[in-house]
């Protein structure tokens, strides 16, 4: 069992209400986002005890768990061990429609599947939605930073990794120099720039979408079959260009929060720092919080994760040998917000550009008021 080291008074010292910090032994980095207890954020609840599951369910009344991990990430973490919370909160994988034509998402009428890909006719409450927000085209941006021979070597290593079950480890280790050069702020810009849009590797959708599967969601037989197509495209074109094929996952997440029927909700990912931190920053911007407040709130994750930091560090450094990716410094979020203003004029303008317009933003404010 983890013993929290987070002193709630530390939140008030940086302008965050003391009551926002919630200490649960088995759910690190848990705190309230809004002023009324309708939106929370945390790290993964995979190791939550039955007692803490009931706190989330009964005391906080959480109806919707917006989990920004992929199905593969969720099911394989901790070697696929059974999660106590799954007995109370069933897991669903919703389809991602065009956010510009979808008013509230997900809802009970949204097409969803279970983690095995089987259609589900009814969505219960509470429920967990797995909405994969890993910016796969941002990965390509880093991939393209490497020289052509290193990209070919990386692809070959990933293929070996597929066979051993360590494809992501092989990928990050091969490109560690480029990933470190890109930096944490580069990763965050990738989240906003691409919004986790589905991509394919080349100009031909018929081939490239299947080629990419071996990096993101490996199916060994299909991966090997399509590997030749991918390698051919790589050799023929020194730069693999992402082709956007669907819509931003950020918008459906925000539209979910707009619907009072989905609240209270909790935003979460593996550590509740990066993917969760960015979505939280967007929500707080809509609620009118200052950049300073948003950055301070983001920085609380560093303290919130302190109880499990030795484990986090051990695992993370296997993939990226740079400790700067472990932390949530205030200046990182300030740089991201400044970059967003420079590119779009404001966070609100950015949200409009991905299909979350002014009317939607007003509805979110009202839902969390």
């Amino acid at each position: 069992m983890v013993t929290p080291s987070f002193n709630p008074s530390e939140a008030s010292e940086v302008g965050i209400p003391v009551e926002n910090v919630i200490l649960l032994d088995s759910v690190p980095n848990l705190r309230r986002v809004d002023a009324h207890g309708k939106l929370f954020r945390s790290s993964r609840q995979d190791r939550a005890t039955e007692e803490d599951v009931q706190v989330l369910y009964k005391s906080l009344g959480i109806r919707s768990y917006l989990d920004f991990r992929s199905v593969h990430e969720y099911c394989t973490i901790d070697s696929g061990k059974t999660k106590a919370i799954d007995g109370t909160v069933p897991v669903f994988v919703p389809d991602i429609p065009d956010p510009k034509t979808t008013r509230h998402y997900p809802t009970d009428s949204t097409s969803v599947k279970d983690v095995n890909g089987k259609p589900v006719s009814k969505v219960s409450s509470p429920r967990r939605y797995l909405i994969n927000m890993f910016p796969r085209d941002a990965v390509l941006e880093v991939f393209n930073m490497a020289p052509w021979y290193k990209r070919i070597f990386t692809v070959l290593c990933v293929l070996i990794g597929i066979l051993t079950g360590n494809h992501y480890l092989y990928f990050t280790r091969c490109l560690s120099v480029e990933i470190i050069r890109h930096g944490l702020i580069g990763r965050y810009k990738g989240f906003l720039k691409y919004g986790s849009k589905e991509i394919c590797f080349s100009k031909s959708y018929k081939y490239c979408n299947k080629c990419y599967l071996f990096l993101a969601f490996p199916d060994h037989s299909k991966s090997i079959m399509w590997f030749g197509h991918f390698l051919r495209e790589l050799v023929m074109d020194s730069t693999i260009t992402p082709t956007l094929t669907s819509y931003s996952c950020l918008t459906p997440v925000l539209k979910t929060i707009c619907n009072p029927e989905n609240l209270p909700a909790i935003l979460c990912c593996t550590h509740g720092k990066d993917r969760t931190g960015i979505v939280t920053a967007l929500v707080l911007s809509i609620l009118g919080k200052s950049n300073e407040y948003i950055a301070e709130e983001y920085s609380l994750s560093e303290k919130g994760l302190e109880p499990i930091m030795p484990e986090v560090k051990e695992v993370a450094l296997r993939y990226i040998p740079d400790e700067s990716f472990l932390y949530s410094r205030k200046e990182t979020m300030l740089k991201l917000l400044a970059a967003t203003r420079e590119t779009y004029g404001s966070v609100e303008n950015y949200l409009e550009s991905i299909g979350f317009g002014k009317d939607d933003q007003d509805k979110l404010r009202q839902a969390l008021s």
Side-chain angles (χ1 to χ4, degrees):
M1 180 174 291
V2 174
T3 302
S5 63
F6 203 139
N7 184 346
S9 64
E10 296 177 31
S12 63
E13 292 173 4
V14 295
I16 310 297
V18 174
E19 57 270 22
N20 279 21
V21 178
I22 303 169
L23 300 180
L24 291 185
D25 286 357
S26 60
V27 185
N29 205 21
L30 172 62
R31 54 190 184 272
R32 195 178 68 185
V33 174
D34 68 318
H36 306 286
K38 296 180 180 180
L39 187 64
F40 301 85
R41 60 174 295 178
S42 78
S43 64
R44 60 192 177 101
Q45 307 90 32
D46 303 342
R47 300 177 183 175
T49 62
E50 290 288 355
E51 180 181 358
D52 286 349
V53 169
Q54 292 306 309
V55 172
L56 296 171
Y57 177 46
K58 294 182 178 179
S59 300
L60 302 184
I62 295 173
R63 296 180 184 176
S64 302
Y65 291 71
L66 301 178
D67 194 323
F68 305 137
R69 294 176 288 175
S70 68
V71 174
H72 178 77
E73 188 179 359
Y74 185 80
C75 293
T76 60
I77 201 163
D78 291 335
S79 301
K81 292 181 180 178
T82 302
K83 305 171 181 65
I85 195 168
D86 286 352
T88 302
V89 184
V91 183
F92 302 102
V93 184
D95 290 330
I96 304 293
D98 180 352
K100 294 181 180 179
T101 61
T102 303
R103 188 172 182 181
H104 296 310
Y105 176 84
T107 66
D108 288 346
S109 61
T110 299
S111 175
V112 298
K113 300 177 181 178
D114 63 18
V115 293
N116 297 313
K118 296 180 179 180
V120 176
S121 58
K122 184 177 181 181
V123 176
S124 58
S125 179
R127 60 277 181 137
R128 180 184 305 275
Y129 291 114
L130 294 180
I131 302 175
N132 183 17
M133 287 185 58
F134 190 78
R136 289 169 285 182
D137 29 3
V139 172
L140 280 183
E141 189 171 68
V142 176
F143 184 77
N144 284 332
M145 291 170 62
W148 67 268
Y149 56 86
K150 193 172 185 179
R151 294 202 296 270
I152 292 178
F153 178 74
T154 299
V155 171
L156 293 173
C157 288
V158 168
L159 182 60
I160 296 173
I162 291 171
L163 302 177
T164 61
N166 292 313
H167 65 290
Y168 184 66
L169 175 62
Y170 279 68
F171 182 83
T172 55
R173 294 299 290 186
C174 286
L175 297 177
S176 60
V177 172
E178 287 74 22
I179 292 172
I180 292 171
R181 189 166 74 227
H182 202 52
L184 187 59
I185 185 65
R187 172 183 288 184
Y188 286 4
K189 288 179 182 178
F191 272 108
L192 293 181
K193 181 178 179 180
Y194 299 107
S196 267
K197 295 172 183 175
E198 295 291 336
I199 64 166
C200 49
F201 266 118
S202 69
K203 299 176 182 178
S204 172
Y205 180 83
K206 182 173 71 172
Y207 291 122
C208 61
N209 191 45
K210 295 181 179 179
C211 291
Y212 186 66
L213 288 177
F214 79 88
L215 276 179
F217 304 102
D219 177 314
H220 293 185
S221 59
K222 291 182 180 179
S223 298
I224 295 172
M225 180 174 64
W226 288 102
F227 176 73
H229 291 297
F230 171 79
L231 192 58
R232 182 184 64 185
E233 293 289 337
L234 178 61
V235 173
M236 292 174 61
D237 186 356
S238 61
T239 300
I240 301 175
T241 305
T243 303
L244 304 182
T245 60
S246 66
Y247 302 92
S248 172
C249 291
L250 288 171
T251 311
V253 169
L254 295 174
K255 289 194 174 185
T256 299
I257 303 172
C258 287
N259 188 349
E261 294 180 1
N262 294 323
L263 302 176
I266 188 168
L267 310 173
C268 58
C269 54
T270 301
H271 300 128
K273 179 179 81 74
D274 299 323
R275 289 167 283 190
T276 299
I278 290 175
V279 177
T280 300
L282 295 176
V283 171
L284 290 175
S285 292
I286 295 171
L287 295 180
K289 297 297 183 180
S290 68
N291 289 347
E292 191 74 14
Y293 180 97
I294 295 169
E296 293 284 12
E297 203 284 336
Y298 164 79
S299 70
L300 290 179
S301 287
E302 195 165 309
K303 193 66 178 178
L305 290 171
E306 193 171 280
I308 60 171
M309 186 54 71
E311 178 189 349
V312 172
K313 182 180 296 187
E314 180 182 357
V315 174
L317 292 181
R318 289 181 57 214
Y319 292 87
I320 306 174
D322 186 335
E323 292 194 5
S324 66
F325 286 79
L326 299 173
Y327 304 117
S328 53
R329 301 289 158 80
K330 176 182 173 181
E331 53 267 26
T332 302
M333 181 55 68
L334 288 174
K335 288 179 181 178
L336 179 66
L337 294 170
T340 304
R341 288 197 307 274
E342 182 179 349
T343 304
Y344 299 95
S346 67
V347 171
E348 290 76 13
N349 288 346
Y350 162 73
L351 291 169
E352 283 196 74
S353 75
I354 64 170
F356 195 74
K358 292 182 179 179
D359 289 343
D360 293 314
Q361 294 172 34
D362 287 339
K363 289 172 185 175
L364 189 146
R365 294 186 191 100
Q366 184 176 0
L368 297 182
S369 64

